[in-house]
Amino acid sequence: QVQLQQSGPGLVKPSQTLSLTCAISGDSVSANSVTWDWIRQSPSRGLEWLGRTGYTSRWFSDYAEPMRGRVNINSDTTNNQVSLQLSSVTPEDTAVYYCARKNGVFSFDIWGQGIMVTVSS
Amino acid sequence: DIQMTQSPSTLSASVGDRVTITCRASQSISDWLAWYQQKPGKAPKLLIFKASSLESGVPSRFSGSRSGIEFTLTITSLQPDDLATYYCQQYNSYPWTFGRGTKVEIK
């Protein structure tokens, strides 16, 4: 079955870049019918969609407007994984970060286990 | 952005009760609504997609319905394992947005 395994640091200093990876098993990062999305969850903001990447004859990425300019989501076909980079972090970026598969009519049908990231000096 | 307003924020019910959670969209989203269950310390789990379609493996006591821009998640007979927070999410238009959640407690 499809599984997403997330990895990355749980603590990031203010102004630095948060980097997380989501390893995909049981599906291909290049699959045409899905996208690979990043979502975060905090008590203040709830569940917040950050952006996505996918492949339909070419690679594309889309980002939530408030994150544009700070966020980058990439695919790695060699290792079958996607990554999230969020630059210039502040304590407001403290949250649990999830990767998830968006599968057409099913919406988010597969989720990673989540990583709690704290932004603190 | 489309706002999703969920109610109630918390509910307490007994085992065997019928439970209803409502989610209202700020504009039309057709049937593009999903419901998720999240248990403490875990990722959300898809229960219902396209407003009323049950995800494979989800117990049949869960059901979803739509009336205009108002959506309902119903648990026909609440079980102890249903202790969780439930979220709605629209996927009609970007950015995808979620409701703030309904925490279900067992009396």
Side-chain angles (χ1 to χ4, degrees):
Chain A
Q1 75 277 26
V2 180
Q3 291 186 315
L4 305 179
Q5 181 65 41
Q6 297 177 230
S7 59
L11 180 64
V12 181
K13 288 182 166 43
S15 80
Q16 293 191 342
T17 296
L18 179 161
S19 295
L20 298 174
T21 299
C22 176
I24 302 161
S25 59
D27 198 355
S28 170
V29 70
S30 307
N32 271 317
S33 56
V34 304
T35 62
W36 305 96
D37 296 46
W38 287 90
I39 296 156
R40 69 182 180 183
Q41 184 174 30
S42 64
S44 58
R45 288 191 158 90
L47 286 159
E48 180 182 18
W49 179 78
L50 302 178
R52 65 170 187 165
T53 191
Y55 182 81
T56 52
S57 72
R58 65 175 179 83
W59 286 101
F60 63 91
S61 296
D62 298 305
Y63 305 112
E65 186 61 40
M67 314 304 296
R68 220 159 273 168
R70 282 207 303 140
V71 68
N72 201 29
I73 296 173
N74 287 315
S75 60
D76 176 353
T77 54
T78 301
N79 294 299
N80 204 39
Q81 62 187 27
V82 292
S83 62
L84 168 74
Q85 293 187 312
L86 183 63
S87 63
S88 304
V89 297
T90 72
E92 296 273 299
D93 295 311
T94 294
V96 178
Y97 286 76
Y98 294 101
C99 61
R101 184 178 78 170
K102 170 88 173 35
N103 187 10
V105 299
F106 299 95
S107 197
F108 298 114
D109 63 343
I110 306 291
W111 293 67
Q113 81 277 20
I115 291 185
M116 175 67 208
V117 179
T118 301
V119 179
S120 174
S121 54
Chain B
D1 298 1
I2 296 175
Q3 308 302 316
M4 306 302 296
T5 304
Q6 248 184 276
S7 61
S9 55
T10 308
L11 72 85
S12 183
S14 300
V15 171
D17 282 355
R18 181 185 181 92
V19 166
T20 299
I21 299 168
T22 299
C23 186
R24 177 181 289 263
S26 60
Q27 63 189 73
S28 175
I29 58 170
S30 187
D31 283 338
W32 301 115
L33 183 108
W35 288 98
Y36 301 88
Q37 176 193 66
Q38 186 177 34
K39 296 185 177 180
K42 300 292 188 183
K45 172 190 170 186
L46 178 65
L47 296 177
I48 302 282
F49 61 93
K50 210 162 180 294
S52 60
S53 296
L54 193 68
E55 170 72 335
S56 176
V58 173
S60 58
R61 64 180 178 274
F62 291 93
S63 65
S65 63
R66 170 199 171 194
S67 176
I69 59 170
E70 191 162 288
F71 299 81
T72 301
L73 174 69
T74 301
I75 309 172
T76 51
S77 178
L78 190 69
Q79 300 300 303
D81 188 51
D82 301 336
L83 168 71
T85 301
Y86 295 83
Y87 296 92
C88 61
Q89 177 243 331
Q90 68 82 19
Y91 52 114
N92 180 76
S93 56
Y94 284 106
W96 313 137
T97 48
F98 294 82
R100 291 308 302 258
T102 296
K103 186 175 182 180
V104 174
E105 298 171 341
I106 310 292
K107 276 185 191 173

